[in-house]
Structures are given as C-alpha cells and as structure tokens.
Amino acid sequence: MTPQETALLDQVTIDEPWALVESFSTFKREHPDDVNRGMDEVVERLTKHGVEVKVHEPELFLSLPGQARIEAGGVIHRAKPPAFSANAPNGFSGPLVYIRGTTNMDEEDAFESQLEAGPEMEARVRGKIVLTEGFASPAIISLMEGCGAVGVIAINPGVDIHWGICTTIWGIPSVSDLYRKPNIPAAAVNMESGQALIELAKSGGDATIFTEMEEGWFRSKLPEITISGTEEPEKYVLLHGHLDSWDVGVGDNATGDATMLEVARVLWANRDKLRRTVKICWWPGHSTGRYAGSTWYSDTFALDLDENCVAQVNCDSPGCRWATEFIHVSVMSEAHDFLAGVIQDVAGKTLQSERPHRAGDYSFNDIGISSYLMLSSAMTDAHREELGYYAVGGCGMNIAWHTENDTLEIANKDILLRDIKVYLLAVFRNANAGLLPMDWRATAREFQATIADYQQQAGDGFDLSNAASAADDLLAELETFYDRAAKGDIPQAKANAAIQDLARILVPLNFNRSDRFRHDPALTIPPLPGLEEATKIASRSKDLWGFSRTELVRGQNHVIAGLRRARARCAI
C-alpha cells in the first residue's frame, strides 16, 4: 500500500456511517415515500460535508407487497407475497400439488429452480396451486406459471419467512417484456406451515392464496455524486448500492448506504488526488422493482457509460456481524487479482470469489462493464453451519436477510469500518491506476476452461475445437499486449482504451444472451451462454440432435466472432 493510500484510509471514521445505520434502523424503507425520506437524509448528510449531490427523480414501475395468508384445511397460515405476485385480495383457490424442490439449503441453489418444464411437469401442475421448497424466486414462479399452475406457495427453509420478488423482468418492463410479468398469485411460508401443507397436498386438499399488492409508477429520488478526476475527468468508476430495503434492512442495505456515504465524504475531501472521476449512486426500486433504479440509470446514461465507465462496483450488505471473511464474493475474472490485492492490503484476508450471479444491481452487463463486488464480507461456512443457518443472499449470511429481524444488531462497527476501507481503496486504486487493472488474460483462461468443460459434456455430439482455438489465439495476443504495455511499448492511453473496449466485447459475450443495451431476464446465465447447448446435447433425444447442432453452430459462430474482435482490438 502506498503512503498516499495509507493516509487516505486513515481518514475513515465510523461516526458518520454508524449514525446513518442507527437512523435507518428506526424506519422501514419499502414504500417509495419512505425510500425518498432515506434519500433526503443521505443528501442532507452529504451536503453537511460540502459534497455536491445531484438528485434525479425517475418514475419507476414498482410492486409493493402488502398482507398475505394461506387458508387450507381450516387453518390460516402466515405468509408473505413476493413483489410482482398477482393481486388476490379476495383469495384464489385451487387443489394443492406438492413438487419436491430445493432441499439442500447448504447451497445457494435455493434461489434457482432445479426443476424443468416438460409434458410430465405440465400434467402434474396444470390448474393447481404448486407447493415447493425454496424461495419465491423468479425461476420457480415463471416455470410453474409456464406449466399451467394457478398459484405457487414457496416453502422457506426456517422459522422465518423471507420477502422477495418473483418477476423475471429486469428493471422497468418494456412493451416486449410485459408478457413475462407474473399473472398468478405467489406467497412464501415458513417450514412449519410448509410441512403441514405438504401433508394436506398428499391427501388431495385445496388451498386459498390471499395476496394484497399495490403496483404502479412511483416518483423515486436517486442521488448521484460526481467527484471529478484531475487527469482523465471524463473516465470514471461507478460505485453504487440500493437504499430501499425490506423493513428496516440494516444489514441489507443500511450498512451499504453508510459505506458509500463515508467513501463519498473521504473522496470528496481528497478529490485533488483522483486521476479519474468517481461517481456514487444510491438506488431506489431494488427490492420492489427488480433493480429498477440501477436499470433506469443504466438505460438513461447508457451511451455515456459505454464511452467512459471503466468499472462498476456494487455495495450491498457490508459490515455485518460475524462476517470475518471475504468468501462467495462476486468478481469478474479480469478484476479478480486487483480485488484480491485490495482485500489483502486492507484486511489481510484471502479473496474467495465466484462468478457474479444474475442478481444484485448488476444492471450494466449488457453495456459491457467490468465489475466486482456485490456482497462483500461474510461469515465462514463452518460458522454458518454451527449456527444452523441456511444460505441466504446478503447480511453477511445472517438469516435475518429479507426479514423483519434485520435490525441494528445485525451490523458490526468494527467489521463495517474495515469494509468501508476495502471499498474506498478499491475505488481509489481503480480510479488512480496508470494502466487499468483489468487483466483480460484471466478472462481468456476462463473461456478456455469453459469451452473445455462444455466439450467434455457434449462428447461426440458437437465439436467446439474452433472456439477453443479462438480462445487460445486471444490469450496469446493478450500475453503480447500486456507485455508490451508493461514495457511502455504501447502508450498508456492507447492501452487503456483497448482494455476498456475489450470489456465492451467480452463482458456481454460472457454474461448476456440478448443484444447490448437490452436486459436479459433475472435468471441464471451460464458462462459463454452462446455455447450453453453443448451442456445439453448429449442428453437430448435423437430427434432433437439436428436442432441442437444447429443452435451450437450459430452459438459457436457468435463466440468466435467476439473472440476475433477482441483479438484484433488488442493487436496494437
């Protein structure tokens, strides 16, 4: 760590961020009016420190869950409706059918559907209310609605019920997205109610789902800070996180809001030391709009982001109790070594990373922006198992996530102070790097491993050797590029332009199915999705082989063309 970086981190204090956490622990931030109140407080606190803030006021399309319950077998079961469930205040009844779902709650696959559509599934669920384990996720609700179910009850794995959102639409729907908005009621229940409902389903019982939902367009405040750099002010790092939360949402995401507040304060006071600009945004509509705020920003400023954003950094759920390690941390391959260095320098910890999920506010993949962090620190898996916790998607792995129990005790002052410094150094170091720290050789190696894995799964069903060769050629060109850049044979400005352009090519190739500037559904996207069919062709029935190969021919063409464009771009 440089003396300048050490001096910067020494300026971080816990007083101002903790005051925001304490304040946010006293009021819910679900309804847009309450979210706007929270935004006003952030702006007030920033202004007190002389930080200039621009407040956008977009109209966002949101779904606000109200009350819910399940009536079945003469018993009323407590329930919570996910955002974008269909509104059923008078109840919607149907026969129950139990479909065994996710039961391994030690894995984060509770958020995905391990089930598949098909004639057999349709025959089992059509016209029925489906009862299945897991969270009320887009994967489960969209699958069951597509198979003809008239309602879904998701059985959460513990005594508490978690709020969530069930639409696959990412952000504000476009006209072409509207058909995917859920048209069936959905609700989540706890494990005890779920077990009782399973027994009722096995005996041929019925259930009635009651959900109360408010849906529409809401004016939502969105603060944006621009801390201008001194050498390349047009280029910027985007730091962002959501302010709206379920209930008071201390660990998700009052701690993140406080982190960004302190990063903004320190960077503003040291703006003369920034090479590039840093932008910081607080999002509305994360929980009730499937990342509507960040998607609105991504859409509205897409062309500027495309031209000038060098990295995006998501701030969600830092500073939670027991979150001693940096495990399950989202980071794109090209940013791994950079982030690992930051975490080692600040916390003395080893980064254990994973491919970013189709989640959080990663609303910039379509543009092609290198990204790191979503969640940051977390408790160890061993500690989680010792506590009897199952995997969740935030709060440092505290199961208070998305419940009314996410209160002040979920936050930890010492861990929050450390995590603020991690975010501050990551953003500062990224903004001040001479050569942008994205190492595309790591991504090319990831592509090599992905293609090799897909080839193994495809067997003799399809030959991916041309894609493998293209990945090899890209890596060889990148080795030359980075060697020349390190020696100064390529002017730094030209090298950085190439590194940024590589992001615009390779991030969408690795994380997008649809065209640039369009948002894919909120469903898992595998590496190099154009080649995904290679993982399925071996199990396809013989009458589908020709169709499967056709899809892979087109997908391989898409991937090879992208790899060739990337190779040409770094051949300076």
Side-chain angles (χ1 to χ4, degrees), residues 437-448:
M438 308 310 170
D439 188 346
W440 293 105
R441 292 169 294 188
T443 306
R445 295 187 190 102
E446 178 197 337
F447 289 169
Q448 288 178 319

Side-chain angles (χ1 to χ4, degrees), residues 310-328:
V310 299
Q312 70 94 357
V313 187
N314 184 234
C315 187
D316 200 332
S317 296
C320 294
R321 67 181 180 186
W322 307 324
T324 59
E325 306 303 317
F326 289 85
I327 56 179
H328 311 299

Side-chain angles (χ1 to χ4, degrees), residues 427-499:
V427 170
F428 183 77
R429 191 173 278 182
N430 201 160
N432 277 18
L435 187 70
L436 288 171
M438 308 310 170
D439 188 346
W440 293 105
R441 292 169 294 188
T443 306
R445 295 187 190 102
E446 178 197 337
F447 289 169
Q448 288 178 319
T450 297
I451 293 167
D453 175 51
Y454 286 2
Q455 183 65 81
Q456 183 177 17
Q457 293 187 61
D460 296 332
F462 193 81
D463 181 9
L464 292 172
S465 59
N466 288 337
S469 295
D472 294 344
D473 292 343
L474 173 59
L475 179 58
E477 194 66 58
L478 285 166
E479 295 282 9
T480 300
F481 168 79
Y482 280 101
D483 182 62
R484 294 182 62 216
K487 293 176 179 177
D489 293 343
I490 303 174
Q492 198 169 83
K494 285 189 174 181
N496 283 336
I499 290 171

Side-chain angles (χ1 to χ4, degrees), residues 379-394:
M379 70 177 73
T380 65
D381 292 342
H383 190 189
R384 178 166 61 84
E385 291 168 4
E386 179 184 336
L387 293 169
Y389 285 3
Y390 44 85
V392 294

Side-chain angles (χ1 to χ4, degrees), residues 360-541:
D361 279 287
Y362 269 51
S363 300
F364 309 92
N365 293 350
D366 59 303
I367 296 173
I369 298 177
S370 293
S371 308
Y372 52 91
L373 292 168
M374 183 184 300
L375 310 178
S376 52
S377 56
M379 70 177 73
T380 65
D381 292 342
H383 190 189
R384 178 166 61 84
E385 291 168 4
E386 179 184 336
L387 293 169
Y389 285 3
Y390 44 85
V392 294
C395 288
M397 285 293 172
N398 285 270
I399 57 172
W401 171 82
H402 283 200
T403 74
E404 53 272 32
N405 302 320
D406 185 9
T407 50
L408 188 58
E409 66 270 17
I410 298 301
N412 178 282
K413 276 188 177 182
D414 293 336
I415 294 176
L416 179 59
L417 182 64
R418 180 203 64 183
D419 289 358
I420 291 170
K421 292 180 179 181
V422 167
Y423 273 96
L424 175 59
L425 183 59
V427 170
F428 183 77
R429 191 173 278 182
N430 201 160
N432 277 18
L435 187 70
L436 288 171
M438 308 310 170
D439 188 346
W440 293 105
R441 292 169 294 188
T443 306
R445 295 187 190 102
E446 178 197 337
F447 289 169
Q448 288 178 319
T450 297
I451 293 167
D453 175 51
Y454 286 2
Q455 183 65 81
Q456 183 177 17
Q457 293 187 61
D460 296 332
F462 193 81
D463 181 9
L464 292 172
S465 59
N466 288 337
S469 295
D472 294 344
D473 292 343
L474 173 59
L475 179 58
E477 194 66 58
L478 285 166
E479 295 282 9
T480 300
F481 168 79
Y482 280 101
D483 182 62
R484 294 182 62 216
K487 293 176 179 177
D489 293 343
I490 303 174
Q492 198 169 83
K494 285 189 174 181
N496 283 336
I499 290 171
Q500 180 180 304
D501 288 346
L502 287 169
R504 306 303 185 257
I505 299 169
L506 298 178
V507 170
L509 193 68
N510 200 19
F511 288 92
N512 273 46
R513 296 187 191 275
S514 49
D515 297 335
R516 291 186 70 208
F517 307 111
R518 294 185 182 276
H519 301 278
D520 284 319
L523 298 169
T524 297
I525 295 178
L528 294 176
L531 300 180
E532 181 188 15
E533 183 60 24
T535 68
K536 301 176 181 179
I537 188 171
S539 61
R540 296 288 191 197
S541 59

Side-chain angles (χ1 to χ4, degrees), residues 24-151:
F24 276 14
S25 73
T26 65
F27 68 98
K28 298 179 182 181
R29 296 178 309 288
E30 298 174 1
H31 192 280
D33 291 345
D34 298 318
V35 176
N36 288 340
R37 170 189 167 186
M39 297 294 189
D40 288 341
E41 180 172 347
V42 166
V43 172
E44 181 182 352
R45 289 178 180 275
L46 289 166
T47 303
K48 179 179 68 175
H49 292 287
V51 181
E52 296 175 6
V53 188
K54 181 175 184 178
V55 180
H56 304 283
E57 297 194 13
E59 293 283 333
L60 303 181
F61 188 73
L62 307 176
S63 171
L64 311 180
Q67 298 297 311
R69 69 183 188 277
I70 307 296
E71 294 186 3
V75 177
I76 297 176
H77 296 275
R78 185 170 58 94
K80 290 178 181 175
F84 285 101
S85 164
N87 191 35
N90 298 318
F92 193 92
S93 301
L96 280 171
V97 59
Y98 170 57
I99 304 294
R100 186 177 177 83
T102 300
T103 56
N104 180 10
M105 292 303 174
D106 289 332
E107 302 294 335
E108 292 187 28
D109 63 5
F111 300 98
E112 304 298 334
S113 173
Q114 307 302 310
L115 306 170
E116 293 186 3
E120 182 180 347
M121 180 66 73
E122 291 180 15
R124 293 184 65 190
V125 308
R126 184 166 297 280
K128 297 177 181 178
I129 293 175
V130 172
L131 183 66
T132 188
E133 294 95 347
F135 296 106
S137 68
I140 290 175
I141 278 66
S142 63
L143 170 67
M144 294 307 173
E145 182 178 4
C147 289
V150 296

Side-chain angles (χ1 to χ4, degrees), residues 217-265:
W217 295 88
F218 296 87
R219 182 182 64 84
S220 304
K221 294 185 179 182
L222 192 164
E224 176 191 35
I225 299 170
T226 300
I227 310 172
S228 295
T230 59
E231 296 181 36
E232 299 177 57
E234 72 284 358
K235 300 297 181 183
Y236 58 89
V237 177
L238 174 63
L239 172 65
H240 60 93
H242 68 92
L243 188 138
D244 66 300
S245 298
W246 295 117
D247 207 272
V248 300
V250 167
D252 184 10
N253 188 37
T255 54
D257 301 322
T259 295
M260 295 191 296
L261 180 76
E262 183 66 1
V263 170
R265 184 190 70 80

Side-chain angles (χ1 to χ4, degrees), residues 455 458-464 530-558:
Q455 183 65 81
D460 296 332
F462 193 81
D463 181 9
L464 292 172
L531 300 180
E532 181 188 15
E533 183 60 24
T535 68
K536 301 176 181 179
I537 188 171
S539 61
R540 296 288 191 197
S541 59
K542 190 172 183 179
D543 61 315
L544 292 177
W545 285 354
F547 305 112
S548 185
R549 288 173 183 145
T550 299
E551 183 166 335
L552 278 167
V553 167
R554 294 169 182 169
Q556 182 165 233
N557 290 340
H558 170 70

